[in-house]
Amino acid sequence: MMKKLMRIVGLVGILGLLVVGLVACGNKKTTSSNTSSGYRNSISKGLDAVAENKMSKALTSFDNALTQKPKETKAKAYRDQAQACVDTNSQLKAGEVQKAVTTITDGVEIKNGAKSLDTKLDELKTTAKADLAEYKQLDKDVTAQLKVTDGNCSSDVLKQCKNIDWKKKPYLSKLKSKVNKLIKQSNQKSSSSSSAVSTSSSSADTKVSAADKKEADQMRQNIVQADPDHWDSVALAQVPDSVIVAATKKSNDAGGDPGTTANMIAEQYPNIKKSSSSDNSNESADTSTHTDKDRADQIRTVLVNNQDLSESGLAAISDDEIINAAKGGFMSNADIARTAGTLVQSHPDLKQ
């Protein structure tokens, strides 16, 4: 009787262990299934947020996916891509333009990411690089104008500075104090009289007669022809006709020549002087490229202000094409109009 009772107890124990094992196994399968479902749901929500351009929301979803499957390489790639977008936008808003370009460049290199995020990263890289180029050009222009001592700053640069919408262009914010300094300096000196050159006009909008325009165009040609290695025809084209005429009159009264006239103009517009050549014959290719970029940008500026061509359209045209279009000359209004016509033939959308 006792042996029979022990057998029954043993069987009950074994059955109990089997039940516990089956329940545990079932719970494990349920937990695994729930994890996979949650992971897929988080990835899906993240990609939906990317499509809506809500990168912070996408980042949160991908973080959730990684929490459920920490070793999943796809989720990590998606998460890193979203993080690059979020960080780049934050850096641009903070005025950290160079840092933003570095961040987005690294983000574009992430492998095995989502195609939709690849597209977003490429677009953001283009934007960040354009913002950096604008930042550097404005910094260069404002720095140069702050060195002008007679108060007759470039009207184009001043106009650009005054029209900056800081809310729409936060990436320029670190230049705000320098820009405001230039505007203040210009306002303080605009009413004071200076030399005959500076008093004649401080604005490219000053009206001059047809005869004065012709005289200014001729003097530009004379200056460049007299010393083509020293004077920049593109920069001279940006100098107001009234300034050229006033300098010519003052030079002629003093018995001067085109070189004398050019030096008088350079006191107010130092950028008409070409950068002095280095004695080092091994000048880097980067310097040459930088010079071509500056020249192309100067031509673009003249075409926007003189011919009312689209600034964004010109920016999309390569530097080489811009420079080639102006190869026939870029000193007179006729040269500028011809250059504009050449570019408009290939790019009709330049006409605003």
Side-chain angles (χ1 to χ4, degrees):
M1 185 69 178
M2 179 61 71
K3 288 182 179 181
K4 187 175 181 181
L5 181 62
M6 290 299 292
R7 285 177 184 176
I8 294 172
V9 171
L11 288 173
V12 171
I14 291 171
L15 288 172
L17 289 172
L18 286 173
V19 170
V20 170
L22 290 172
V23 170
C25 184
N27 287 340
K28 185 175 181 181
K29 289 181 178 179
T30 301
T31 301
S32 177
S33 176
N34 289 340
T35 298
S36 296
S37 177
Y39 170 83
R40 290 194 300 271
N41 188 43
S42 294
I43 290 292
S44 178
K45 285 183 177 180
L47 293 175
D48 287 343
V50 170
E52 296 170 1
N53 207 32
K54 297 178 179 178
M55 291 301 167
S56 293
K57 183 178 179 180
L59 180 59
T60 299
S61 294
F62 296 141
D63 275 335
N64 288 339
L66 271 176
T67 299
Q68 296 169 79
K69 289 191 177 184
K71 296 182 180 181
E72 182 60 53
T73 56
K74 182 173 74 171
K76 186 178 186 308
Y78 289 9
R79 189 261 178 207
D80 290 346
Q81 286 181 306
Q83 185 71 65
C85 289
V86 170
D87 289 347
T88 299
N89 282 319
S90 296
Q91 288 157 2
L92 288 174
K93 289 180 181 179
E96 299 286 352
V97 200
Q98 182 63 69
K99 190 174 181 180
V101 171
T102 300
T103 299
I104 197 63
T105 299
D106 291 341
V108 170
E109 299 299 320
I110 295 172
K111 304 299 182 183
N112 303 318
K115 289 184 179 180
S116 58
L117 279 161
D118 287 340
T119 300
K120 295 291 184 183
L121 287 163
D122 286 334
E123 291 173 351
L124 189 52
K125 182 179 179 180
T126 299
T127 298
K129 290 182 72 174
D131 291 349
L132 179 59
E134 182 180 356
Y135 180 98
K136 287 183 174 179
Q137 188 62 50
L138 180 63
D139 189 22
K140 178 182 176 182
D141 291 342
V142 173
T143 299
Q145 293 305 312
L146 284 171
K147 295 177 181 178
V148 177
T149 58
D150 57 11
N152 291 284
C153 297
S154 165
S155 60
D156 292 333
V157 175
L158 280 173
K159 182 179 179 181
Q160 180 186 0
C161 289
K162 292 177 180 178
N163 290 338
I164 294 175
D165 186 334
W166 299 103
K167 290 183 178 179
K168 291 182 178 180
K169 297 188 174 185
Y171 52 89
L172 299 177
S173 60
K174 291 202 171 182
L175 296 177
K176 190 172 184 178
S177 60
K178 186 182 286 188
V179 168
N180 289 340
K181 181 180 179 181
L182 176 62
I183 294 173
K184 183 178 180 181
Q185 178 176 299
S186 174
N187 291 338
Q188 288 175 340
K189 295 182 179 180
S190 62
S191 60
S192 61
S193 60
S194 185
S195 64
V197 175
S198 61
T199 54
S200 63
S201 171
S202 62
S203 169
D205 297 330
T206 301
K207 293 183 179 180
V208 294
S209 66
D212 284 345
K213 280 184 174 293
K214 185 176 180 179
E215 181 180 355
D217 287 343
Q218 185 61 54
M219 180 49 67
R220 290 187 180 94
Q221 295 181 40
N222 293 344
I223 289 171
V224 175
Q225 289 171 1
D227 193 352
D229 294 329
H230 193 65
W231 304 110
D232 190 328
S233 61
V234 175
L236 273 167
Q238 297 182 69
V239 178
D241 292 336
S242 54
V243 173
I244 301 286
V245 171
T248 301
K249 183 179 185 304
K250 186 177 180 181
S251 175
N252 290 341
D253 290 344
D257 55 16
T260 303
T261 304
N263 283 319
M264 290 180 178
I265 298 169
E267 292 176 5
Q268 182 181 355
Y269 295 90
N271 62 328
I272 69 169
K273 288 184 179 180
K274 288 185 176 179
S275 300
S276 57
S277 300
S278 170
D279 292 333
N280 183 358
S281 60
N282 296 321
E283 186 175 9
S284 69
D286 287 343
T287 301
S288 173
T289 302
H290 183 65
T291 300
D292 287 345
K293 171 64 176 172
D294 288 345
R295 179 175 175 79
D297 283 342
Q298 287 177 327
I299 294 172
R300 290 185 179 96
T301 299
V302 174
L303 293 174
V304 169
N305 295 323
N306 188 290
Q307 296 293 312
D308 291 327
L309 297 189
S310 167
E311 183 174 359
S312 59
L314 287 168
I317 300 175
S318 70
D319 295 339
D320 287 342
E321 185 175 352
I322 294 290
I323 292 172
N324 287 333
K327 270 191 173 179
F330 203 72
M331 292 179 288
S332 66
N333 289 324
D335 289 337
I336 296 170
R338 177 189 51 72
T339 301
T342 299
L343 291 169
V344 169
Q345 281 185 343
S346 302
H347 307 276
D349 58 326
L350 288 175
K351 278 292 185 182
Q352 301 188 75

